[in-house]
Amino acid sequence: MSAFREQRLPPWRRAVLKVGSSLLAADAHGLSPRHALGLAQFVSASRTQGREVVIVSSGAVAAGRTLVPRAPEAGAPMAARQALAALGQARLMALWQRFFEVPVAQVLLTHDDLRNRRRYLNARATLLELLRLGALPVVNENDTVSVDELKLGDNDNLAAIVAALVNADVLFIASDVDGLYSADPRLDPVAQPVQATLGVSPELMGFAGGAGTRSGTGGMRTKLEAAARASAAGVDTVIFNGTRQDVHRLLAEDRLLGTRIQAERSRPAARKHWLRNAPVGGALAVDAGAVEALRTRGASLLAGGVREVVGEFARGDVVEVRDAGGGAVARGLVQYAAADVRRIAGRHSRDIDLLLGYNYGESVVHRDDLVLL
Ligand SMILES: Nc1ncnc2c1ncn2[C@@H]1O[C@H](COP(=O)(O)OP(=O)(O)O)[C@@H](O)[C@H]1O
Ligand SMILES: N[C@@H](CCC(=O)OP(=O)(O)O)C(=O)O
């Protein structure tokens, strides 16, 4: 089996780092700082360079297992595993906090939260606020309620969704192998390392083995699914060996020993593609000043420029922005439900709190969530 060659990574500003149970509970005696320390040093070095990191960490079930006598074995009823996750999650957070002076913030998400647009927006706003505050978000699945997800044990895909959610440049997936090979290196001694690829082709997916094998139900398969998902959102994926201190140190210098999966399109292009193709929930008619601000200044749409609300939509739906003549100007993800926009239309952003009793920020459609037509 030949080794990976060192390659340079493009500089990044924001990343998601996924750390699996196999690294945090490598010896089956609950959580261990052995590999987490080196990964934490990579995170600290990145933060010192002014970069932002969100950790997606598994390990709650493994940690919980050591906290109770006669812990349920694999195959036990779902509630038993969920109880273990609830027990172990506090330990998992404590493990990460040990390595950092800045506070870590626990964020528990279900796949359902991320499918529902309103909750998606709320999760995103909270994560971005945590980063703004300089905290270190540590995300895991909310295993207590996400039955199917616990069964799948799929934090790789969760990490990819979080990477798209926070608009990360790159998703780092720490594994217990050096990277992706042409076949499972534990089974195939002549497996070849995959240094770099563009997107995830069906051939690449085949490298992870078919369904029914160990690798088909976890292992590299979910990592490649995650990479495909990240690629579609314009996020690069890096798969590296989380057990090797030398690899951690190199990563902090943008040098990689591992696999780089480059996104097939840029993030703005991915976002625009998604906005152009999403179903439209309603429309906002805006005044000439707002059209001008969107078109020439790349500004967000503020409540003050909204003249009329057409149809019913929820926070997080895609709406069409129209000029006074009814011409389509833009499409974007709306921050307020139709009933709320009706109440704040034509008013100054600072009055939103007074008018609604809460606010989701000053823009009705944020510029990052907007595509001009
Ligand atoms: N093509 C492949 N290249 C590299 N590893 C593979 C491949 N196919 C299967 N694997 C297996 O995937 C494992 C890594 O996944 P896994 O242990 O599930 O990680 P985690 O617990 O971090 O999600 C490796 O140890 C390896 O045996
Ligand atoms: N959420 C669960 C594990 C989920 C999971 O995806 O685990 P892994 O395949 O080790 O990344 C936990 O914290 O134990």
Side-chain angles (χ1 to χ4, degrees):
M1 187 169 67
S2 45
F4 280 86
R5 294 187 316 277
E6 187 182 314
Q7 58 182 312
R8 282 215 79 82
L9 286 177
W12 52 272
R13 289 200 51 77
R14 183 177 289 167
V16 169
L17 169 66
K18 191 269 172 172
V19 187
S21 315
S22 59
L23 290 176
L24 294 179
D27 321 318
H29 299 303
L31 297 179
S32 141
R34 189 146 66 99
H35 304 310
L37 176 63
L39 292 164
Q41 282 166 344
F42 161 55
V43 173
S44 290
S46 302
R47 288 179 54 100
T48 306
Q49 294 160 19
R51 295 167 163 186
E52 294 174 322
V53 182
V54 174
I55 295 179
V56 173
S57 176
S58 315
V61 173
R65 191 160 277 134
T66 60
L67 295 177
V68 283
R70 295 186 303 282
E73 294 299 322
M78 192 54 70
R81 297 198 63 206
Q82 288 172 302
L84 290 182
L87 280 161
Q89 181 62 29
R91 294 295 171 106
L92 186 58
M93 293 307 296
L95 174 83
W96 285 114
Q97 185 63 79
R98 270 166 65 184
F99 304 120
F100 299 101
E101 278 174 21
V102 294
V104 298
Q106 170 176 279
V107 178
L108 298 178
L109 295 172
T110 65
H111 284 222
D112 271 354
D113 293 332
L114 302 165
R115 262 187 235 117
N116 173 307
R117 298 298 308 172
R118 189 167 58 91
R119 288 197 255 164
Y120 179 95
L121 282 185
N122 292 345
R124 183 174 75 173
T126 305
L127 279 164
L128 294 180
E129 182 64 12
L130 285 167
L131 291 175
R132 201 188 61 77
L133 291 169
L136 177 66
V138 176
V139 179
N140 195 357
E141 278 180 45
N142 191 354
D143 289 324
T144 320
V145 292
S146 58
V147 175
D148 291 340
E149 282 69 20
L150 189 73
K151 235 182 342 203
L152 290 170
D154 192 4
N155 269 9
D156 292 326
N157 274 292
L158 178 66
I161 298 170
V162 170
L165 186 79
V166 299
N167 209 7
D169 303 299
V170 55
L171 165 63
F172 289 103
I173 302 185
S175 188
D176 58 358
V177 277
D178 284 351
L180 173 71
Y181 289 84
S182 56
D184 187 340
R186 293 183 206 278
L187 307 176
D188 183 347
V190 293
Q192 291 301 306
V194 178
Q195 288 275 139
T197 85
L198 183 66
V200 180
S201 63
E203 185 201 3
L204 206 71
M205 209 67 200
F207 291 173
T213 64
R214 173 180 128 74
S215 48
T217 52
M220 274 300 146
R221 173 155 288 269
T222 51
K223 287 171 183 47
L224 289 180
E225 280 169 14
R229 207 185 266 272
S231 168
V235 181
D236 292 347
T237 299
V238 163
I239 302 174
F240 68 99
N241 194 333
T243 71
R244 282 177 57 177
Q245 294 267 353
D246 58 330
V247 174
H248 304 156
R249 275 194 291 273
L250 286 174
L251 268 188
E253 298 168 8
D254 293 332
R255 292 151 72 194
L256 170 67
L257 276 177
T259 300
R260 176 173 176 228
I261 300 167
Q262 208 187 320
E264 275 169 304
R265 44 165 93 98
S266 72
R267 268 177 303 138
R271 191 121 195 96
K272 286 193 172 117
H273 175 83
W274 183 83
L275 283 169
R276 283 208 183 94
N277 292 291
V280 174
L284 301 172
V286 304
D287 63 20
V291 173
E292 161 87 9
L294 299 188
R295 283 220 174 108
T296 61
R297 285 191 278 117
S300 296
L301 176 64
L302 304 181
V306 178
R307 285 284 162 269
E308 198 197 332
V309 177
V310 184
E312 294 306 321
F313 48 81
R315 166 166 158 78
D317 281 354
V318 173
V319 295
E320 189 169 274
V321 180
R322 297 176 183 160
D323 60 22
V329 175
R331 267 183 179 206
L333 212 83
V334 71
Q335 295 287 337
Y336 294 87
D340 285 353
V341 187
R342 288 194 173 94
R343 288 159 74 188
I344 62 177
R347 304 292 293 265
H348 198 281
S349 305
R350 67 168 169 263
D351 296 336
I352 293 178
D353 219 39
L354 206 68
L355 292 161
L356 302 181
Y358 53 83
N359 77 82
Y360 293 120
E362 62 167 22
S363 45
V364 171
V365 180
H366 193 273
R367 57 191 289 176
D368 294 344
D369 298 326
L370 192 116
V371 54
L372 290 172
L373 299 173

